[in-house]
Amino acid sequence: MRYLALAALTSVATADYVWPGPNDHMEDLLYLQSGFNRFGFVDGILSCAFGQNVRGRQNSAEWIRTAYHDMSTADVDAGTGGLDASIMFETMRDENKGSAFNNTFGHLHSFHTTRSTGADLLALAVVGSMSVCGGHDVPLRVGRIDATEAGRTGVPEPQQDLETHTKMFAMQGFNQTEMIELVACGHTLGGVHHEDFPEITGDDTEGNVTAFEYDDSQFTFDNKVVTEYLANKTSNPLVSGANDTMNSDKRIFAADGGATMRALSDATHFQSRCATLMARMIDTVPSTVTLSEPLTPIDVKPYVNTLALNANGTVDFSGYVRVHYGGDTGRSADDLSASITYVNRAGKTVSKPVQAVRPTWRDGTATGFGGISFVFFEWDTQVDAEEGISAFNIFVTTKSTNETVEYDNGGKGFPVKDTVLFQQKQSCQTFTQNESGGYDGSLTIAAAVRDDAIDNTSASELALHYAMHVPQGAVLERLETQVEPFVQTEQKIAGYTLFEVKNMAINDKSDSTTFDISLGGETAVEFQKTGALSQESCVPLVQ
Ligand code: HEM
Ligand SMILES: *[C@@H]1O[C@H](CO)[C@@H](O)[C@H](O)[C@H]1NC(C)=O
Ligand SMILES: *[C@@H]1O[C@H](CO)[C@@H](O)[C@H](O)[C@H]1NC(C)=O
Ligand SMILES: *[C@@H]1O[C@H](CO)[C@@H](O)[C@H](O)[C@H]1NC(C)=O
Ligand SMILES: *[C@@H]1O[C@H](CO)[C@@H](O)[C@H](O)[C@H]1NC(C)=O
Ligand SMILES: *[C@@H]1O[C@H](CO)[C@@H](O)[C@H](O)[C@H]1NC(C)=O
Ligand SMILES: *[C@@H]1O[C@H](CO)[C@@H](O)[C@H](O)[C@H]1NC(C)=O
Ligand SMILES: *[C@@H]1O[C@H](CO)[C@@H](O)[C@H](O)[C@H]1NC(C)=O
Ligand SMILES: *[C@@H]1O[C@H](CO)[C@@H](O)[C@H](O)[C@H]1NC(C)=O
Ligand SMILES: *[C@@H]1O[C@H](CO)[C@@H](O)[C@H](O)[C@H]1NC(C)=O
């Protein structure tokens, strides 16, 4: 975004993004890989070769193969299948040999929430792998829905003939040219494992691996898979394997007489075709799914970390302002400062600007896939509970020019709802070992509700919406919303009454999940993480 500083204070009038947005969490997973406030999806692909030091394991390759196998049972004419994570129910099929699929979902597991489906995470896994391995950027669209059971069979296998493969790819929506391209793009990484396909590698030594290529290029997203093939020097076991029946890449690469492979010998063309086709691969979804526009880094994005009542009648209000810098933003992290102002319940600006401070931890900066950089500023203030808060605005100053830009979220400010406050310190979860050696969990969630809101709505309509993890015979559990009514307590402070859901039984798979709180059927508190709760005991709110 560019603007001219005509006055000391510039207002950003047109903001296409309005906070909070439905894809905020996926945007965090995509762009906050390392540094301050990192979400850490990259930890599974610290390098393109990374595989937790397990011999022959390359996570980037496993993730891309998993995405392809998941997508490959799509029937685009019928609008069924595609990237829907159904592969997690299909790992015992002959067409899905190896541990790659469960390994992949094992990584996705800790990122699986009500705002990040398994299928969207699998798409992110492809985007991240391409980025880490040196491919061109693949845009990430989100909104995929997870299958709840296995889908049809039909993943291509090496012993099948060219006609079968061509038909299978056509069903997936790829013509002959695109089939050749997608296979070449997929098979630039990783290899054929002896333990999965000894009949191809001719070696059944357990745990051994044969790469598609001899050199380190299996760890780089490059077109050697093409150039070595064209030079008749390929080590690709699906081209030069001893048993010709299993040489499916040989048949596919030669399907059009070599024209597509010759075109792919141009490195730039290869990269551009691979990024396009990988995007099409992950965007092949059931017709019932509507994908978002590709995610782009949100320019200035706030995070409210705390909005909770204190015993003395103040409300803790803390959070971060995240500012995109570098690239074509024209911003330099060290030349920025930030502050906020907030508006009370009656709509009046009550405070002088609250300075947001750049954290010292990791310099307050973070980076994501695609080299996108952000700098954070942290605010921590207290609001008078009687006056309340309804919105805040953000001010970002360029220190060298003293130019300040106001961000008001498209005019109305960044909204804050203070009718229901989640009392994190008064909430907790514990796990105790039971007689059969498992763990039984107990969850307590406290909330403060404004008395005038209770007057309007029956208090019994205050409900916890808890994302319970329910085992479903796959690595990812099903997220089932459990609705639990809150119970009113005797405690009243500064126009608020405390409510709680006390000692709700939870299973050991749900130790790190999320919940919402609704009042009178409307969401009042959103997407709070239970992983942040005390494992000890709830701290009472004492006056
Ligand atoms: C006719 C189509 C295809 C056949 C028959 C085929 C077959 C195979 C076989 C047999 C392996 C070895 C798996 C192992 O030992 O773990 C493999 C690996 C792999 N395939 Fe394919 N494949 C096809 C298409 C694709 C496509 C379209 C992609 C992605 C765009 C892809 C991505 C990969 C990757 C990344 C690996 C390496 C996995 C690793 O190293 O763990 N494949 N493929
Ligand atoms: C496949 O589709 C692309 C894009 O429409 C086209 O350029 C290409 O010629 C097609 N290939 C075949 C074999 O039809
Ligand atoms: C593993 O594979 C490599 C390459 O194919 C081969 O040289 C080696 O003998 C195999 N066995 C072991 C135990 O490494
Ligand atoms: C590779 O082998 C094919 C078939 O044997 C031959 O036509 C082609 O000229 C060879 N290419 C090179 C670069 O040697
Ligand atoms: C080659 O592979 C096919 C398909 O798996 C198999 O039926 C055949 O017996 C194999 N041939 C040899 C010589 O191993
Ligand atoms: C109110 O309580 C909070 C939390 O204990 C404390 O940080 C704050 O300083 C207190 N404010 C006043 C005005 O006493
Ligand atoms: C920015 O404003 C401060 C205080 O108003 C002033 O001291 C400083 O000289 C100004 N800097 C520039 C570059 O205008
Ligand atoms: C013990 O905990 C496990 C794991 O959470 C659970 O599946 C099992 O039902 C519990 N057993 C008893 C006797 O409560
Ligand atoms: C409660 O209802 C009154 C009257 O309809 C309204 O003015 C007030 O804003 C409502 N309070 C809340 C918190 O919704
Ligand atoms: C993958 O994990 C699921 C669920 O734990 C399990 O049922 C399945 O057998 C596993 N598949 C493989 C190939 O190990």
Side-chain angles (χ1 to χ4, degrees), residues 173-189:
F174 299 94
N175 69 20
Q176 185 194 59
T177 314
E178 294 157 346
M179 168 178 76
I180 298 166
E181 291 172 327
L182 194 59
V183 172
C185 297
H187 290 173
T188 183
L189 296 179

Side-chain angles (χ1 to χ4, degrees), residues 27-45:
E27 197 259 7
D28 285 333
L29 291 177
L30 175 61
Y31 290 118
L32 298 176
Q33 296 308 331
S34 50
F36 184 80
N37 196 28
R38 67 196 289 276
F39 284 65
F41 190 85
V42 77
D43 288 358
I45 41 174

Side-chain angles (χ1 to χ4, degrees), residues 432-441 506-509:
T432 41
Q433 199 159 20
N434 65 26
E435 59 233 40
S436 45
Y439 285 85
D440 294 331
I506 57 173
N507 66 26
D508 65 338
K509 300 271 184 273

Side-chain angles (χ1 to χ4, degrees), residues 55 194 203 205 208-210:
R55 196 143 169 255
H194 298 301
D203 180 345
T205 318
N208 205 350
V209 62
T210 289

